[in-house]
Amino acid sequence: MSATIHQPTTPLELADAIRAAPRAIIVGAGTKPRLSRVSEDFARIATTKLRGIVEYEPSEFTFTALAGTPLREISAALAKCGQYLPFDPLFAEAGATIGGTVAAGVSGPGRFRFGGLRDFILGVRFVDGDGRLMRMGGKVVKNAAGFDLPKFFVGSLGRFGALAEVTFKVFPRAQATRTLRLLARDATALTKILTDAANTRWELDALDATPGEGFVYARLAGPEEALEVLAREIFARWPGATLTAEAARQLWREAGECAWAHAGGTLVKLAITPSAVPAVVEAVSGLPEARSWISAGGNVAWVSLPPGKSRATPWNWPAVTMRGAGPLWPGSPVNYNVFRAMKTALDPQGRYPALDS
Amino acid sequence: MASDAIKRLLALLPPGRVLAGAAHMAAYESDGLTAFRAAPLAVVVPETQDEVIAAVRFCHAEKLPFVARGSGTSLSGGSLPVTNGIVITLNRLNRVVRLDPIERVAVVESGMVNTHVTLAAQPYGLHFAPDPSSQSICTIGGNVAFNSGGAHCLKYGMTSNHVLGLKAVLATGEVVTFGGSSREQVGPDWTGLFCGNEGLFGIALEVTLQLLPRAEMFHTVLAGYATLEAAGEAVSAVIASGLLPGAIEIMDALALEAAVAAVHADYPPNSAAVLIVELEGPREVVAADRVRLEKILAGSGAMEVRVAKDAAERLAIWKGRKSAFSAVGRLSPDFIVQDGVVPRRKLGEALKHIGEYAAEARLRVANVFHAGDGNLHPLIMYNGREPDGLARAEALAGKILRMCIAMGGSITGEHGVGVEKRDYMPEMFTVDELDCMKRVRAAFDPETIANPGKMFPAAEAPVLAQHGLHPLEKAGVISRE
């Protein structure tokens, strides 16, 4: 790792720092360190001081923040006006930044209801490989002018450009929530609850599962008076219990921080479909000490392995390693000519690392 | 040389797939933006994905420009042919490849009509959320290419928010599969980038769509106001309350007049503006939310508030709303419709300016808009038989677009840039930003053969024709958002 860490404080300083570095990797708070673990040739440019909310208009449902702004600072500002980022961004307590969250392309349990990070990003300012500071997308909730590069940057791991500033859509937070813990005797039963619960009138706010414990967690959100009736209807279908407010807070904190994972271990995100859940659970059970957490109604699986361990064979699903040992893309990534052409379009000199490094 | 190319194309594809000759070409020379026309060299009507791939690879080898076309409803001239280029029309590529009610996913070919997806999903209690006003005829491929919107975008987003993956043939001939059936993905969001490419990257062959359970209950309210400002203030109050309605729409007096004339819509008498708010969700949630909404509307100075008592009344409200623009076409021989966006808090100011600009230009402008997301739809009426009619209307349209940019909004919320607004792109984006977008385009289409002349200011100037109703609008089949 290069010893020099640059810490620009404005988008223009970020562009300067990038132009001064023939090879550069942008890092945020380092909550997903595998993503920026590249060769020492790359100067490390930290967004730590590139922080602050630039604009927040509650009546517009939008805010703009510098890339290094910690998620918790954003969430606190939104909460004052009864609003939130509905995809429950991950690792907020650990200090994750909004820019790092975009580049990593990760969403939390709330993505189940209204969509993931990609569905709320509206605009970006970024520095391309030629060191040009540019704006793409917009600052209004609806915009169809130009290519949707803001979406492209979601999950792009800083390999195509450096985010300087991001604009997001937000929603009003529901008046009340209630979390139900439902019991599943095995992976098949657990999967059935996930798919059945998603296909109902209830419009659940989150739907996660912990296969190791055999629990499904369903979160309801809305007017307090409606939730009791909906909860009763759910319990009439599956046995379980309502969590206390404190237990619910702890559960969603555990999910949002991946606090259930091995400290210092490997953390992998798998993009799956609900019917793949039993196969994922089986694959995980074949790995010593491996743990998993199913999110977004069975569309995401998080897998944790003990420190120093990674999986010998590739996962059968698209996968990316966020923390710990192992290849960056431990699935079987596809590679098209257009991927290389896009890299050339945004970063012709290869200033940022390659997507597969 | 041109006829040689047609001969080679005829030899490449099964009989009946290639149309050429003036009579055939006339049907394809325009789209929903009837002001522009261009005659293609030939039209390819593929029946399979392989035939689309073959046609695109042929165009790539011959360096022939091509334009993909669904039902030709683009309001920005997005499917306007390139003179002496090829049109590839996708209406016969309309199969459901897979519909999985358990995972709530539909894989459909790109020529499938928008509402047909919901029709296929309905038996399972599911639906496809994006609902552009032309949904009974426009295709999924066109929705993807232009990232189409509709009346429910604030809560549900645009088309791209419902596309999980797609298979496409790029302008280089490379066939790619982006994303998949999962609602999450890893790596850069190629699917998201492809949505809204305006046909400049290639042609989507099949698209993986997320389906949502149909809301159990709808609560649709229509309120009449004495002034447009009062209706606008009511929107702000609804937003400030923390409610998240599925739709918030406003129609002004001229739009109301047109809807009454066209579909005999019934509105509170003497309303200068009508507000439509729709709540949806589980019945218990709607029951609680409607109490809050009623309080807000009661305090908003509405002259009259009507609640749709059943599905038929709800449909009637939406019919009046969705027919409004084609209805306005009855009040004027010619018109232009735009879809600029302003920050919601500036809606009142924007409408005031539009009124002033219209008065200066001596033209009438009707307004129907998605008030929840600041998406304007000014409809500029003019008479094309007056010598300066079109020029005055276009000058007024330009003024409105510049106002949207100056207010921090966008030149298009959901219709796309196409041919219509390409000259305004340099006002919204810097030289570097446009250059960056051109490089991205070149990554997908190094020869600039996929829908050239759209999105970027270009040298080729299509022939201007008369504005007026699309033939299908005249027949009442489609309407404009």
Side-chain angles (χ1 to χ4, degrees):
Chain A
M1 234 176 253
S2 164
T4 336
I5 295 184
H6 306 272
Q7 293 188 310
T9 61
T10 66
L12 285 172
E13 278 182 27
L14 174 69
D16 287 343
I18 285 165
R19 278 194 298 266
R23 312 195 82 188
I25 179 79
I26 314 302
V27 294
T31 59
K32 300 162 284 283
R34 178 64 188 87
L35 307 182
S36 59
R37 200 163 74 218
V38 292
S39 99
E40 289 183 9
D41 303 346
F42 291 89
R44 299 180 79 76
I45 300 178
T47 57
T48 333
K49 290 183 176 167
L50 184 64
R51 63 188 281 180
I53 296 170
V54 179
E55 264 181 76
Y56 172 35
E57 287 290 345
S59 68
E60 300 296 330
F61 285 2
T62 58
F63 75 85
T64 298
L66 293 172
T69 312
L71 292 168
R72 52 170 185 253
E73 192 175 317
I74 293 168
S75 297
L78 297 177
K80 277 186 194 157
C81 299
Q83 297 180 341
Y84 75 127
L85 280 166
F87 57 88
D88 290 347
L90 292 175
F91 309 117
E93 226 173 81
T97 65
I98 188 77
T101 304
V102 173
V106 287
S107 299
R111 81 99 52 227
F112 178 75
R113 175 129 184 222
F114 294 114
L117 187 152
R118 74 182 293 268
D119 301 303
F120 287 86
I121 191 165
L122 299 172
V124 293
R125 277 177 90 194
F126 76 103
V127 182
D128 76 353
D130 282 347
R132 302 184 294 180
L133 177 63
M134 295 178 281
R135 196 185 290 280
M136 292 285 164
K139 286 191 171 179
V140 282
V141 293
K142 203 172 180 186
N143 171 34
F147 299 132
D148 200 346
L149 279 164
K151 273 203 186 60
F152 179 73
F153 279 109
V154 176
S156 66
L157 311 188
R159 265 56 173 177
F160 295 84
L163 297 171
E165 189 183 285
V166 291
T167 301
F168 272 89
K169 172 163 110 168
V170 299
F171 273 168
R173 204 184 255 291
Q175 289 169 306
T177 62
R178 183 176 290 231
T179 299
L180 283 51
R181 186 175 64 203
L182 309 171
L183 310 176
R185 62 178 185 281
D186 56 29
T188 311
L190 181 141
T191 306
K192 183 91 168 66
I193 297 177
L194 290 177
T195 52
D196 283 359
N199 284 338
T200 60
R201 70 184 195 91
W202 307 322
E203 299 191 358
L204 294 173
D205 188 53
L207 187 60
D208 277 17
T210 52
E213 302 169 307
F215 292 141
V216 171
Y217 293 99
R219 188 168 72 201
L220 289 160
E224 179 68 51
E225 57 266 48
L227 303 188
E228 176 62 31
V229 186
L230 294 175
R232 271 205 306 269
E233 198 171 303
I234 295 170
F235 288 135
R237 216 152 150 190
W238 300 292
T242 300
L243 298 188
T244 64
E246 178 52 26
R249 198 191 61 75
Q250 285 208 18
L251 171 83
W252 297 117
R253 184 200 159 267
E254 205 180 345
E257 300 296 321
C258 291
W260 52 271
H262 292 282
T266 292
L267 182 66
V268 177
K269 170 189 166 181
L270 304 176
I272 62 169
T273 61
S275 52
V277 169
V280 171
V281 171
E282 201 192 321
V284 170
S285 67
L287 298 168
E289 297 177 68
R291 300 171 189 165
S292 67
W293 188 291
I294 305 293
S295 193
N299 285 277
V300 182
W302 291 93
V303 178
S304 167
L305 304 168
K309 298 244 173 98
S310 73
R311 197 169 194 257
T313 53
W315 293 94
N316 288 329
W317 302 274
V320 57
T321 305
M322 298 278 156
R323 294 174 170 174
L328 182 59
W329 308 105
S332 304
V334 289
N335 208 347
Y336 296 115
N337 292 330
V338 73
F339 288 9
R340 285 184 290 280
M342 251 315 258
K343 176 72 175 168
T344 306
L346 293 179
D347 183 18
Q349 298 157 51
R351 192 183 297 271
Y352 304 111
L355 192 57
D356 55 5
S357 72
Chain B
M1 180 204 150
S3 60
D4 286 351
I6 294 179
K7 274 184 205 151
R8 288 192 291 277
L9 193 54
L10 281 164
L12 182 73
L13 296 167
R17 304 291 199 272
V18 181
L19 308 176
H24 278 306
M25 295 310 98
Y28 292 94
E29 66 181 21
S30 204
D31 62 10
L33 181 71
T34 47
F36 294 89
R37 272 178 206 168
L41 180 67
V43 176
V44 179
V45 191
E47 300 213 344
T48 66
Q49 296 183 20
D50 284 343
E51 289 172 17
V52 179
I53 296 166
V56 168
R57 287 181 175 163
F58 172 83
C59 289
H60 181 249
E62 304 252 341
K63 293 192 167 61
L64 258 179
F66 65 89
V67 178
R69 181 183 166 110
S71 299
T73 57
S74 171
L75 292 172
S76 58
S79 54
L80 179 77
V82 176
T83 303
N84 290 325
I86 303 292
V87 168
I88 301 174
T89 168
L90 296 153
N91 302 76
R92 292 189 190 170
L93 229 64
N94 60 359
R95 285 159 281 247
V96 175
V97 178
R98 185 167 75 84
L99 194 150
D100 184 339
I102 293 174
E103 297 196 336
R104 293 175 291 121
V105 162
V107 182
V108 303
E109 289 186 319
S110 56
M112 186 147 186
V113 168
N114 175 298
T115 41
H116 292 180
V117 179
T118 288
L119 283 176
Q122 234 161 22
Y124 310 102
L126 301 171
H127 80 296
F128 177 58
D131 64 338
S133 279
S134 55
Q135 67 185 128
S136 64
I137 170 168
C138 64
T139 63
I140 293 299
N143 293 172
V144 167
F146 283 80
N147 196 11
S148 305
H152 294 79
C153 292
L154 180 67
K155 185 169 176 183
Y156 292 103
M158 321 261 290
T159 297
S160 67
N161 303 106
H162 299 270
V163 176
L164 304 177
L166 49 86
K167 177 182 166 196
V169 53
L170 306 181
T172 52
E174 184 174 35
V175 175
V176 297
T177 303
F178 294 152
S181 293
S182 176
R183 279 160 169 79
E184 270 286 314
Q185 48 185 338
V186 302
D189 192 345
W190 297 96
T191 308
L193 176 65
F194 193 92
C195 291
N197 78 77
E198 302 206 354
L200 273 57
F201 290 174
I203 301 180
L205 299 167
E206 62 183 55
V207 187
T208 304
L209 305 168
Q210 73 166 3
L211 302 172
L212 302 179
R214 192 180 146 79
E216 181 188 20
M217 178 172 270
F218 294 94
H219 176 71
T220 311
V221 180
L222 187 151
Y225 291 87
T227 65
L228 200 49
E229 289 71 30
E233 279 160 26
V235 173
S236 302
V238 171
I239 293 293
S241 73
L243 286 171
L244 184 61
I248 312 177
E249 305 278 310
I250 289 182
M251 298 166 73
D252 77 358
L254 207 46
L256 296 174
E257 185 191 322
V260 170
V263 295
H264 310 293
D266 176 27
Y267 297 111
N270 305 318
S271 298
V274 151
L275 170 68
I276 299 167
V277 182
E278 186 164 273
L279 302 172
E280 47 175 34
R283 59 180 184 272
E284 297 85 355
V285 172
V286 172
D289 283 352
R290 70 177 283 180
V291 175
R292 292 166 72 192
L293 180 64
E294 275 158 14
K295 269 190 204 143
I296 296 162
L297 293 181
S300 71
M303 301 191 303
E304 189 182 332
V305 178
R306 294 180 185 170
V307 176
K309 285 189 242 8
D310 51 32
E313 288 193 15
R314 172 177 179 250
L315 283 179
I317 289 176
W318 280 112
K319 189 180 177 193
R321 163 62 188 86
K322 292 205 173 187
S323 74
F325 270 18
S326 45
V328 169
R330 294 177 181 223
L331 303 183
S332 171
D334 303 290
F335 61 90
I336 302 174
V337 55
Q338 286 192 320
D339 76 316
V341 184
V342 296
R344 185 170 34 222
R345 67 188 182 283
K346 294 183 179 171
L347 267 177
E349 191 188 337
L351 292 166
K352 192 167 143 270
H353 286 314
I354 292 173
E356 290 161 5
Y357 299 158
E360 281 167 28
R362 290 170 290 116
L363 292 168
R364 290 193 297 168
V365 177
N367 287 288
V368 171
F369 48 95
H370 305 306
D373 46 30
N375 193 184
L376 305 165
H377 285 93
L379 191 141
I380 302 164
M381 293 176 249
Y382 69 97
N383 185 346
R385 274 174 288 278
E386 287 174 13
D388 63 342
L390 175 59
R392 266 164 48 220
E394 293 210 310
L396 172 55
K399 250 181 157 168
I400 295 172
L401 290 183
R402 291 200 173 95
M403 173 198 73
C404 292
I405 298 169
M407 287 184 167
S410 171
I411 56 176
T412 174
E414 56 188 4
H415 298 172
V417 178
V419 168
E420 189 200 23
K421 291 175 286 273
R422 60 183 184 177
D423 290 336
Y424 296 91
M425 285 291 276
E427 300 190 29
M428 194 166 159
F429 295 101
T430 65
V431 173
D432 278 349
E433 288 159 2
L434 285 174
D435 174 70
C436 177
M437 282 192 248
K438 282 182 183 168
R439 289 191 196 179
V440 169
R441 186 255 195 95
F444 286 84
D445 177 18
E447 314 282 357
T448 320
I449 53 170
N451 214 8
K454 315 294 157 63
M455 193 184 292
F456 301 109
E460 316 148 31
V463 181
L464 260 184
Q466 280 306 323
H467 283 249
L469 282 183
H470 188 281
L472 286 166
E473 276 185 301
K474 281 186 181 153
V477 176
I478 59 167
S479 52
R480 301 183 193 208
E481 190 79 15

